[in-house]
Amino acid sequence: MHLLETRIPPPLVMLLCGLAGWALDGLLPGWPLPVPAWAAVSIGVLGLLLNLLPKWTFGRVRTTVNPLRPASSTVLVTSGIYRYSRNPMYLGQALVLLGAMLLLRNALALLVVPLFVAWITRLQIVPEERALAARFGARYEAFRSQVRRWL
C-alpha cells in the first residue's frame, strides 16, 4: 500500500468514486432514495466551498496545496476552518461526492462515499500526517490533539 500513498490526486479519486457510483446506479437501479435536488445541490455547494476556501488560505500564507508533496509544506495552517477540521479540503471533496451521489437518488450509489473517505484517510491523510509531524514536530502534534481529522 505504501506504493499508492500520496500518488493519486484526491480530486481524481473523487472523480473515480463518482464514476463508480454512477455505474452502480446504472447497473443496479431500483434502490430509490427520495432526496430533494435542492438538498443534494446544497451539500455539493458546501463541499465546494470547503474545498476552495482552504486553498485560498494556503495561497495567502504561500505554502503548498499540492497533496502529492506534503513534505514541501512551509507553514502549518491552524486558523480559520482549520480550527474545526484538519482536512477541510478532503471533507469538502467528500461532500461534493455525497451531493452528486444524492442527485442520482440511488441508495447504492452512496456506497462510494465511505470508499472515498477510507481511501483518502489511508493513502493521503495518514502519509500527510507523518510528513507534517516530521516537519513541524510538537506544533503539529498539539494541533493534531486539538482538532479532529475530518470533523
Side-chain angles (χ1 to χ4, degrees):
M1 289 300 258
H2 289 293
L3 181 65
L4 293 175
E5 288 184 348
T6 67
R7 296 281 189 252
I8 302 175
L12 180 57
V13 175
M14 180 184 67
L15 177 64
L16 293 173
C17 286
L19 289 172
W22 181 68
L24 277 172
D25 179 49
L27 293 172
L28 300 168
W31 293 79
L33 189 65
V35 176
W38 67 264
V41 170
S42 297
I43 290 168
V45 168
L46 175 62
L48 190 60
L49 287 172
L50 281 174
N51 191 30
L52 295 177
L53 290 176
K55 289 177 180 167
W56 177 75
T57 301
F58 275 39
R60 255 190 15 214
V61 298
R62 295 193 174 120
T63 192
T64 185
V65 72
N66 184 349
L68 305 182
R69 305 215 187 296
S72 61
S73 295
T74 57
V75 176
L76 180 62
V77 178
T78 61
S79 61
I81 191 70
Y82 286 91
R83 291 180 293 170
Y84 307 102
S85 172
R86 294 194 318 259
N87 298 285
M89 287 184 246
Y90 301 139
L91 176 60
Q93 290 171 1
L95 289 175
V96 167
L97 182 61
L98 175 62
M101 295 304 98
L102 288 172
L103 279 174
L104 294 175
R105 295 191 172 115
N106 183 330
L108 283 179
L110 293 177
L111 293 174
V112 301
V113 178
L115 175 68
F116 172 81
V117 169
W119 178 283
I120 292 299
T121 298
R122 171 60 188 90
L123 297 171
Q124 191 64 45
I125 293 174
V126 169
E128 283 180 7
E129 289 175 341
R130 282 195 309 262
L132 293 172
R135 179 105 172 144
F136 299 106
R139 275 189 54 224
Y140 179 71
E141 291 305 325
F143 172 61
R144 187 174 164 173
S145 71
Q146 294 171 351
V147 179
R148 292 181 181 172
R149 181 179 275 163
W150 282 90
L151 208 170

